[in-house]
Amino acid sequence: MNFSRIAEIERFAQALIKGAAMGLYLTPKPGLVDLADCGSHPDLTMAKMERSLHILADYLEEMIRSLADNEHFICRALIGRKAEEVMFKVLGTNSHKGYIFLSGLLINARWHAGSHDESAMEKAVVAAAAQYFTAQGEADATNGRSARLRYGTGGIVREAQRGLPSLFTCGVPAYLDAIGRTGSFSIACFHTLSRLMQTVEDTTTLHRGGAMGLARIRRDGLRLEQVIAENGDHISFLEDLNFEYSRLNLTMGGVADMLSLTLGYLTACGLLTGERDRSRHHGLRSIGRCAAGR
Ligand SMILES: CC(C)(COP(=O)(O)OP(=O)(O)OC[C@H]1O[C@@H](n2cnc3c(N)ncnc32)[C@H](O[C@H]2O[C@H](COP(=O)(O)OP(=O)(O)OP(=O)(O)O)[C@@H](O)[C@H]2O)[C@@H]1O)[C@@H](O)C(=O)NCCC(=O)NCCS
Ligand SMILES: Nc1ncnc2[nH]cnc12
Protein backbone atom coordinates (compact mmCIF):
# COMPACT_ATOMS: atom_id res chain seq x y z
CA MET A 1 0.00 0.00 0.00
CA ASN A 2 1.50 3.36 -1.15
CA PHE A 3 0.49 5.68 1.68
CA SER A 4 2.19 8.75 0.23
CA ARG A 5 0.14 8.30 -2.97
CA ILE A 6 -3.05 8.22 -0.88
CA ALA A 7 -2.00 11.29 1.13
CA GLU A 8 -1.30 13.10 -2.15
CA ILE A 9 -4.72 12.34 -3.66
CA GLU A 10 -6.43 13.33 -0.38
CA ARG A 11 -4.71 16.73 -0.55
CA PHE A 12 -5.85 17.03 -4.17
CA ALA A 13 -9.46 16.28 -3.18
CA GLN A 14 -9.32 18.84 -0.36
CA ALA A 15 -8.08 21.41 -2.89
CA LEU A 16 -11.06 20.68 -5.17
CA ILE A 17 -13.47 21.27 -2.27
CA LYS A 18 -11.67 24.52 -1.41
CA GLY A 19 -12.00 25.52 -5.06
CA ALA A 20 -15.76 24.90 -4.95
CA ALA A 21 -16.00 27.02 -1.77
CA MET A 22 -13.97 29.88 -3.30
CA GLY A 23 -16.14 29.73 -6.40
CA LEU A 24 -19.31 29.76 -4.30
CA TYR A 25 -18.26 32.73 -2.15
CA LEU A 26 -17.00 34.87 -5.04
CA THR A 27 -19.45 37.80 -5.16
CA PRO A 28 -21.14 39.08 -7.30
CA LYS A 29 -21.70 36.24 -9.77
CA PRO A 30 -24.51 37.07 -12.24
CA GLY A 31 -27.50 34.70 -11.99
CA LEU A 32 -25.74 32.45 -9.47
CA VAL A 33 -25.79 31.83 -5.72
CA ASP A 34 -23.29 34.05 -3.89
CA LEU A 35 -23.01 36.06 -0.68
CA ALA A 36 -25.47 38.65 -2.02
CA ASP A 37 -28.38 36.52 -3.25
CA CYS A 38 -29.42 33.33 -5.06
CA GLY A 39 -29.48 34.87 -8.55
CA SER A 40 -31.97 33.04 -10.78
CA HIS A 41 -32.06 30.00 -8.49
CA PRO A 42 -35.07 30.28 -6.14
CA ASP A 43 -34.51 26.57 -5.35
CA LEU A 44 -31.03 27.25 -3.98
CA THR A 45 -29.71 29.11 -0.91
CA MET A 46 -26.19 29.69 0.43
CA ALA A 47 -26.97 27.22 3.24
CA LYS A 48 -27.97 24.56 0.69
CA MET A 49 -24.83 25.15 -1.37
CA GLU A 50 -22.65 24.90 1.76
CA ARG A 51 -24.42 21.67 2.71
CA SER A 52 -23.72 20.52 -0.84
CA LEU A 53 -19.97 21.10 -0.29
CA HIS A 54 -20.05 18.63 2.59
CA ILE A 55 -21.79 16.06 0.40
CA LEU A 56 -19.09 16.66 -2.23
CA ALA A 57 -16.35 16.08 0.36
CA ASP A 58 -17.90 12.77 1.47
CA TYR A 59 -18.23 11.75 -2.19
CA LEU A 60 -14.57 12.43 -2.98
CA GLU A 61 -13.53 10.52 0.14
CA GLU A 62 -15.50 7.51 -1.16
CA MET A 63 -13.96 7.98 -4.61
CA ILE A 64 -10.46 7.86 -3.08
CA ARG A 65 -11.32 4.72 -1.11
CA SER A 66 -12.37 3.07 -4.36
CA LEU A 67 -9.13 4.08 -6.08
CA ALA A 68 -6.97 2.93 -3.17
CA ASP A 69 -8.80 -0.43 -3.14
CA ASN A 70 -8.16 -0.68 -6.87
CA GLU A 71 -11.86 -1.30 -7.55
CA HIS A 72 -13.16 -1.58 -11.11
CA PHE A 73 -13.86 1.81 -12.76
CA ILE A 74 -17.60 1.09 -12.92
CA CYS A 75 -17.67 1.18 -9.10
CA ARG A 76 -16.57 4.82 -9.23
CA ALA A 77 -19.21 5.66 -11.83
CA LEU A 78 -21.79 4.19 -9.46
CA ILE A 79 -20.29 6.20 -6.57
CA GLY A 80 -20.83 9.33 -8.69
CA ARG A 81 -24.43 8.40 -9.44
CA LYS A 82 -25.02 7.69 -5.75
CA ALA A 83 -23.62 11.10 -4.84
CA GLU A 84 -26.02 12.75 -7.31
CA GLU A 85 -28.92 10.89 -5.68
CA VAL A 86 -27.81 11.87 -2.16
CA MET A 87 -27.42 15.51 -3.24
CA PHE A 88 -30.90 15.57 -4.80
CA LYS A 89 -32.50 13.70 -1.86
CA VAL A 90 -30.96 15.92 0.80
CA LEU A 91 -31.27 19.27 -1.01
CA GLY A 92 -34.11 18.66 -3.49
CA THR A 93 -32.10 20.13 -6.38
CA ASN A 94 -28.98 19.77 -8.57
CA SER A 95 -26.79 22.09 -6.48
CA HIS A 96 -23.44 20.63 -7.67
CA LYS A 97 -24.40 17.81 -10.04
CA GLY A 98 -21.91 18.93 -12.65
CA TYR A 99 -19.15 19.39 -10.08
CA ILE A 100 -19.73 15.82 -8.83
CA PHE A 101 -18.86 14.56 -12.27
CA LEU A 102 -16.00 17.01 -12.96
CA SER A 103 -14.28 16.55 -9.60
CA GLY A 104 -14.67 12.77 -9.82
CA LEU A 105 -13.14 12.78 -13.27
CA LEU A 106 -10.21 14.96 -12.13
CA ILE A 107 -9.53 12.80 -9.06
CA ASN A 108 -9.45 9.71 -11.29
CA ALA A 109 -7.12 11.50 -13.70
CA ARG A 110 -4.81 12.72 -10.91
CA TRP A 111 -4.57 9.20 -9.45
CA HIS A 112 -3.61 7.64 -12.78
CA ALA A 113 -1.46 10.53 -14.02
CA GLY A 114 0.71 10.38 -10.90
CA SER A 115 1.40 14.14 -11.03
CA HIS A 116 -0.25 17.56 -11.54
CA ASP A 117 1.54 17.82 -14.89
CA GLU A 118 -0.96 19.41 -17.26
CA SER A 119 -0.43 17.24 -20.34
CA ALA A 120 -0.41 14.05 -18.22
CA MET A 121 -3.62 15.20 -16.54
CA GLU A 122 -5.32 16.03 -19.85
CA LYS A 123 -4.46 12.60 -21.27
CA ALA A 124 -5.75 10.91 -18.11
CA VAL A 125 -9.01 12.92 -18.24
CA VAL A 126 -9.58 11.91 -21.88
CA ALA A 127 -8.99 8.26 -20.97
CA ALA A 128 -11.29 8.39 -17.92
CA ALA A 129 -14.04 10.17 -19.88
CA ALA A 130 -13.81 7.64 -22.73
CA GLN A 131 -14.02 4.76 -20.23
CA TYR A 132 -16.92 6.39 -18.43
CA PHE A 133 -19.07 7.31 -21.43
CA THR A 134 -18.45 3.95 -23.06
CA ALA A 135 -19.71 2.24 -19.90
CA GLN A 136 -22.49 4.83 -19.41
CA GLY A 137 -24.49 3.69 -22.48
CA GLU A 138 -27.75 5.55 -23.17
CA ALA A 139 -27.55 8.79 -21.25
CA ASP A 140 -30.37 9.87 -18.92
CA ALA A 141 -33.10 12.22 -20.12
CA THR A 142 -31.51 15.36 -18.63
CA ASN A 143 -31.56 19.10 -19.34
CA GLY A 144 -28.01 18.76 -20.61
CA ARG A 145 -28.85 15.94 -22.99
CA SER A 146 -31.84 17.87 -24.34
CA ALA A 147 -29.63 20.91 -24.93
CA ARG A 148 -26.94 18.82 -26.64
CA LEU A 149 -29.53 17.31 -29.00
CA ARG A 150 -31.40 20.56 -29.63
CA TYR A 151 -28.44 22.90 -30.11
CA GLY A 152 -25.78 20.45 -31.33
CA THR A 153 -23.56 21.48 -28.45
CA GLY A 154 -21.22 19.25 -26.46
CA GLY A 155 -21.86 20.48 -22.91
CA ILE A 156 -20.11 18.74 -20.04
CA VAL A 157 -19.75 15.52 -22.05
CA ARG A 158 -17.60 17.03 -24.81
CA GLU A 159 -15.75 19.13 -22.24
CA ALA A 160 -14.71 15.91 -20.51
CA GLN A 161 -14.03 13.95 -23.70
CA ARG A 162 -11.68 16.71 -24.89
CA GLY A 163 -9.67 16.68 -21.65
CA LEU A 164 -11.28 19.72 -19.91
CA PRO A 165 -10.03 22.50 -22.24
CA SER A 166 -12.05 25.10 -20.28
CA LEU A 167 -9.82 24.21 -17.32
CA PHE A 168 -6.37 23.69 -18.84
CA THR A 169 -6.54 25.94 -21.91
CA CYS A 170 -8.79 28.70 -20.58
CA GLY A 171 -9.27 28.92 -16.80
CA VAL A 172 -5.73 28.17 -15.61
CA PRO A 173 -3.88 30.42 -18.11
CA ALA A 174 -6.43 33.22 -17.62
CA TYR A 175 -6.05 33.15 -13.82
CA LEU A 176 -2.23 32.96 -13.84
CA ASP A 177 -2.03 35.73 -16.45
CA ALA A 178 -4.22 38.03 -14.30
CA ILE A 179 -2.64 37.21 -10.92
CA GLY A 180 0.80 37.70 -12.50
CA ARG A 181 -0.18 41.14 -13.85
CA THR A 182 -2.19 42.43 -10.86
CA GLY A 183 -1.30 40.34 -7.78
CA SER A 184 -5.03 40.50 -6.94
CA PHE A 185 -6.89 37.22 -6.20
CA SER A 186 -10.24 38.98 -6.69
CA ILE A 187 -9.32 40.51 -10.05
CA ALA A 188 -7.83 37.20 -11.17
CA CYS A 189 -11.08 35.40 -10.25
CA PHE A 190 -13.29 37.87 -12.12
CA HIS A 191 -10.95 37.89 -15.12
CA THR A 192 -11.11 34.08 -15.17
CA LEU A 193 -14.91 34.26 -14.89
CA SER A 194 -15.00 36.64 -17.87
CA ARG A 195 -12.93 34.26 -20.02
CA LEU A 196 -14.97 31.19 -19.02
CA MET A 197 -18.21 33.06 -19.87
CA GLN A 198 -16.81 33.44 -23.40
CA THR A 199 -15.78 29.79 -23.65
CA VAL A 200 -17.92 27.24 -21.78
CA GLU A 201 -20.70 25.54 -23.79
CA ASP A 202 -22.96 25.79 -20.77
CA THR A 203 -26.09 23.65 -21.16
CA THR A 204 -27.73 25.28 -18.12
CA THR A 205 -27.64 28.56 -20.04
CA LEU A 206 -29.05 26.90 -23.17
CA HIS A 207 -31.76 25.18 -21.11
CA ARG A 208 -32.90 28.48 -19.60
CA GLY A 209 -32.16 30.99 -22.36
CA GLY A 210 -31.54 29.10 -25.62
CA ALA A 211 -28.93 30.19 -28.17
CA MET A 212 -29.72 33.86 -27.46
CA GLY A 213 -29.01 33.29 -23.79
CA LEU A 214 -25.62 31.75 -24.51
CA ALA A 215 -24.78 34.58 -26.91
CA ARG A 216 -25.68 37.05 -24.13
CA ILE A 217 -23.33 35.33 -21.66
CA ARG A 218 -20.51 35.35 -24.20
CA ARG A 219 -21.06 39.05 -24.98
CA ASP A 220 -21.19 39.94 -21.30
CA GLY A 221 -18.04 37.92 -20.63
CA LEU A 222 -16.16 39.96 -23.22
CA ARG A 223 -17.57 43.20 -21.75
CA LEU A 224 -16.54 42.15 -18.25
CA GLU A 225 -13.02 41.43 -19.50
CA GLN A 226 -12.87 44.90 -21.05
CA VAL A 227 -14.19 46.66 -17.93
CA ILE A 228 -11.52 44.92 -15.81
CA ALA A 229 -8.77 45.71 -18.35
CA GLU A 230 -9.79 49.40 -18.26
CA ASN A 231 -9.78 49.43 -14.42
CA GLY A 232 -13.50 50.15 -14.61
CA ASP A 233 -16.12 49.40 -11.93
CA HIS A 234 -16.49 45.67 -12.62
CA ILE A 235 -18.38 45.12 -9.34
CA SER A 236 -21.20 47.50 -10.36
CA PHE A 237 -21.19 45.96 -13.84
CA LEU A 238 -21.61 42.48 -12.30
CA GLU A 239 -24.32 43.67 -9.88
CA ASP A 240 -26.31 45.13 -12.77
CA LEU A 241 -25.80 41.92 -14.76
CA ASN A 242 -27.03 39.86 -11.80
CA PHE A 243 -30.24 41.91 -11.70
CA GLU A 244 -30.70 41.38 -15.47
CA TYR A 245 -29.99 37.64 -15.36
CA SER A 246 -32.36 37.15 -12.42
CA ARG A 247 -35.08 38.99 -14.33
CA LEU A 248 -34.42 36.86 -17.44
CA ASN A 249 -34.12 33.61 -15.43
CA LEU A 250 -30.69 33.20 -17.01
CA THR A 251 -27.87 31.26 -15.35
CA MET A 252 -24.40 29.77 -16.01
CA GLY A 253 -23.97 26.81 -13.67
CA GLY A 254 -21.41 25.17 -15.95
CA VAL A 255 -19.30 28.34 -15.93
CA ALA A 256 -19.53 28.36 -12.11
CA ASP A 257 -18.32 24.75 -11.98
CA MET A 258 -15.40 25.39 -14.31
CA LEU A 259 -14.37 28.44 -12.24
CA SER A 260 -14.42 26.31 -9.08
CA LEU A 261 -12.48 23.53 -10.79
CA THR A 262 -9.87 26.08 -11.95
CA LEU A 263 -9.44 27.46 -8.41
CA GLY A 264 -9.29 23.94 -7.00
CA TYR A 265 -6.68 22.73 -9.49
CA LEU A 266 -4.52 25.84 -8.94
CA THR A 267 -4.82 25.33 -5.17
CA ALA A 268 -3.67 21.71 -5.59
CA CYS A 269 -0.68 22.91 -7.66
CA GLY A 270 0.23 25.57 -5.06
CA LEU A 271 -0.24 28.26 -7.71
CA LEU A 272 -3.20 30.24 -6.36
CA THR A 273 -1.04 33.14 -5.16
CA GLY A 274 0.77 33.13 -8.49
CA GLU A 275 4.15 33.28 -6.73
CA ARG A 276 5.59 29.97 -7.92
CA ASP A 277 7.02 29.64 -11.41
CA ARG A 278 4.27 27.55 -13.03
CA SER A 279 6.22 26.47 -16.09
CA ARG A 280 9.09 25.02 -14.02
CA HIS A 281 7.06 23.12 -11.43
CA HIS A 282 4.14 21.54 -13.22
CA GLY A 283 4.76 21.40 -16.95
CA LEU A 284 1.86 23.83 -17.37
CA ARG A 285 1.69 25.39 -20.82
CA SER A 286 2.53 29.06 -21.35
CA ILE A 287 -0.33 31.56 -21.34
CA GLY A 288 -2.84 29.85 -23.61
CA ARG A 289 -5.92 31.22 -25.27
CA CYS A 290 -9.44 30.21 -24.35
CA ALA A 291 -11.49 28.21 -26.83
CA ALA A 292 -13.06 31.50 -27.84
CA GLY A 293 -10.11 31.64 -30.15
CA ARG A 294 -8.57 34.88 -28.80
C1 LIG B 1 -22.13 13.22 -17.01
C2 LIG B 1 -23.36 13.84 -16.43
C3 LIG B 1 -23.01 14.93 -15.44
C4 LIG B 1 -24.10 14.36 -17.64
O1 LIG B 1 -24.93 15.35 -17.34
P1 LIG B 1 -25.97 15.98 -18.46
O2 LIG B 1 -25.39 17.11 -19.19
O3 LIG B 1 -26.55 14.86 -19.28
O4 LIG B 1 -27.13 16.40 -17.48
P2 LIG B 1 -27.37 17.65 -16.57
O5 LIG B 1 -28.32 17.18 -15.51
O6 LIG B 1 -27.74 18.81 -17.42
O7 LIG B 1 -25.97 17.94 -15.82
C5 LIG B 1 -24.91 18.62 -16.42
C6 LIG B 1 -24.42 19.64 -15.42
O8 LIG B 1 -23.08 19.94 -15.75
C7 LIG B 1 -22.85 21.37 -15.62
N1 LIG B 1 -22.53 21.85 -16.96
C8 LIG B 1 -23.35 22.20 -17.96
N2 LIG B 1 -22.67 22.53 -19.07
C9 LIG B 1 -21.36 22.38 -18.75
C10 LIG B 1 -20.13 22.55 -19.48
N3 LIG B 1 -20.15 22.93 -20.77
N4 LIG B 1 -18.97 22.32 -18.84
C11 LIG B 1 -18.97 21.94 -17.52
N5 LIG B 1 -20.10 21.73 -16.76
C12 LIG B 1 -21.26 21.95 -17.40
C13 LIG B 1 -24.13 21.94 -15.00
O9 LIG B 1 -23.99 21.78 -13.57
C14 LIG B 1 -23.98 23.00 -12.80
O10 LIG B 1 -25.21 23.70 -12.99
C15 LIG B 1 -26.23 23.11 -12.13
C16 LIG B 1 -27.01 24.25 -11.52
O11 LIG B 1 -27.66 24.92 -12.59
P3 LIG B 1 -29.25 24.72 -12.77
O12 LIG B 1 -29.70 25.58 -13.90
O13 LIG B 1 -29.93 24.88 -11.45
O14 LIG B 1 -29.35 23.20 -13.21
P4 LIG B 1 -30.71 22.35 -13.10
O15 LIG B 1 -31.14 22.26 -11.67
O16 LIG B 1 -30.42 21.06 -13.81
O17 LIG B 1 -31.77 23.17 -13.98
P5 LIG B 1 -33.05 23.98 -13.45
O18 LIG B 1 -34.16 22.99 -13.31
O19 LIG B 1 -32.70 24.66 -12.14
O20 LIG B 1 -33.29 24.99 -14.56
C17 LIG B 1 -25.46 22.34 -11.07
O21 LIG B 1 -25.69 20.97 -11.23
C18 LIG B 1 -24.02 22.68 -11.33
O22 LIG B 1 -23.14 21.63 -10.98
C19 LIG B 1 -25.18 20.97 -15.47
O23 LIG B 1 -26.33 20.97 -14.65
C20 LIG B 1 -24.21 12.81 -15.63
O24 LIG B 1 -25.15 12.15 -16.49
C21 LIG B 1 -23.40 11.70 -14.99
O25 LIG B 1 -23.08 10.71 -15.63
N6 LIG B 1 -23.08 11.85 -13.62
C22 LIG B 1 -22.83 10.80 -12.69
C23 LIG B 1 -21.56 10.00 -12.88
C24 LIG B 1 -20.30 10.52 -12.26
O26 LIG B 1 -20.26 11.58 -11.66
N7 LIG B 1 -19.28 9.69 -12.47
C25 LIG B 1 -17.92 9.94 -12.07
C26 LIG B 1 -17.10 10.00 -13.34
S1 LIG B 1 -15.46 9.43 -13.00
N1 LIG C 1 -22.95 29.40 -7.16
C1 LIG C 1 -23.79 28.66 -7.92
N2 LIG C 1 -25.06 29.11 -8.12
C2 LIG C 1 -25.91 28.37 -8.90
N3 LIG C 1 -25.58 27.21 -9.48
C3 LIG C 1 -24.32 26.75 -9.29
N4 LIG C 1 -23.69 25.65 -9.73
C4 LIG C 1 -22.45 25.66 -9.25
N5 LIG C 1 -22.22 26.75 -8.50
C5 LIG C 1 -23.38 27.45 -8.51
Side-chain angles (χ1 to χ4, degrees), residues 20 23-26 29 31-34 38 41 44 46 49 94-99 251-257 260:
L24 173 59
Y25 295 129
L26 184 74
K29 289 193 303 292
L32 296 163
V33 175
D34 57 27
C38 66
H41 294 268
L44 292 174
M46 178 53 77
M49 296 302 279
N94 288 323
S95 48
H96 282 109
K97 179 182 180 184
Y99 202 76
T251 190
M252 47 184 184
V255 168
D257 280 348
S260 294

